[in-house]
Amino acid sequence: MKLPPFAYACPTTLPEAIELLASHDGDAKAIAGGQSLVPMLAFRLAQPTLLVDLRKLADLRGIRISDAGVTLGAMVRWRDIEDDDRLETAHPLLKAAIAHVAHYQIRNRGTVGGSIAHADPAAEMPGIAITCDAEIAVVGKSGAHVIQAADFFQGALTTALTPDEIIVEIRLPAWPAGRRWGIRPPPRRFRDGRGRGVLRPGRARQGAQCPCRGHRRRRSAAAADRG
């Protein structure tokens, strides 16, 4: 299916990108890797008059690891996570889950911020954010603030982002030494929106569910424990 018509802008600074989004009264969309947004455009689930490409915003890239945890820039790609050996110990659940994201071409283009911003029920990152109590840092015309993952996702394809706000980074708390974890990916069905995986950190509550309803985290004998 062909995409709907739209104008295109590729700003070089974050303030410029925010101004472009704000100037279109909710009728503009930021695009990062495009692996969530482009299919939405094709199926007319989104029809913005302007796409604001974030690919030149170098400040949104990079993975930082500290005693406080792991911070992912919004423009970090799935392949960047795959290629970062530090995450084997700094956040093993993140590293393992991202290995199940689609195929190489998508992992080479898709970004952390794009996945979070669109709350696609078939995506892995919203489930990781909820399961690990992530913080999502955003910036808009009214300034910068942080949203807890549990408050950020409001439903399938629906988030707490306002039209002029851009995700700048996702903060995952430090991974406790010795925490047991497991992961069971959903069957590989191309974007049918029905596949559900299981993410299990050691402290997940029985039956806890991600608000976007496409991810479930629960204690399960079927989820393999790892130490």
Side-chain angles (χ1 to χ4, degrees):
M1 185 179 293
K2 293 182 178 179
L3 302 184
F6 55 82
Y8 172 84
C10 191
T12 57
T13 67
L14 186 57
E16 182 185 356
I18 293 169
E19 187 61 40
L20 284 166
L21 292 174
S23 65
H24 279 68
D25 297 323
D27 208 18
K29 277 276 192 182
I31 182 169
Q35 303 307 299
S36 294
L37 180 57
V38 170
M40 292 172 64
L41 294 173
F43 287 102
R44 302 304 192 267
L45 295 175
Q47 298 189 58
T49 59
L50 172 68
L51 288 188
V52 180
D53 193 340
L54 307 182
R55 63 187 175 88
K56 292 185 178 180
L57 305 187
D59 290 345
L60 301 189
R61 303 185 186 277
I63 299 172
R64 302 195 307 274
I65 299 174
S66 68
D67 292 342
V70 174
T71 299
L72 305 170
M75 292 297 290
V76 166
R77 297 171 297 169
W78 306 129
R79 67 162 294 179
D80 298 328
I81 294 172
E82 281 190 304
D83 293 344
D84 195 325
D85 293 336
R86 299 174 300 166
L87 293 172
E88 293 283 358
T89 53
H91 208 292
L93 180 61
L94 172 67
K95 182 85 167 180
I98 295 310
H100 294 286
V101 174
H103 47 75
Y104 177 80
Q105 290 90 336
I106 285 180
R107 294 198 298 274
N108 192 51
R109 295 287 299 173
T111 63
V112 171
S115 180
I116 291 284
H118 292 101
D120 188 339
E124 283 76 9
M125 196 62 202
I128 294 170
I130 287 287
T131 300
C132 298
D133 298 324
E135 295 180 340
I136 300 165
V138 305
V139 177
K141 289 285 286 185
S142 60
H145 63 114
V146 174
I147 308 173
Q148 298 296 319
D151 299 321
F152 184 85
F153 299 104
Q154 299 181 342
L157 307 179
T158 307
T159 73
L161 278 178
T162 60
D164 64 294
E165 287 183 329
I166 293 174
I167 296 172
V168 293
E169 60 187 28
I170 294 87
R171 304 166 186 167
L172 300 168
W175 187 265
R179 170 173 286 180
R180 297 161 66 90
W181 62 276
I183 180 170
R184 170 180 282 184
R188 287 187 178 273
R189 293 182 294 222
F190 182 68
R191 300 199 68 82
D192 65 2
R194 294 173 294 173
R196 292 190 177 190
V198 174
L199 299 173
R200 181 190 174 184
R203 62 193 178 92
R205 300 190 308 275
Q206 180 79 21
Q209 185 170 354
C210 170
C212 70
R213 300 175 186 236
H215 304 273
R216 185 182 300 274
R217 58 186 172 99
R218 59 187 171 89
R219 292 190 180 275
S220 168
D225 285 333
R226 302 188 184 184

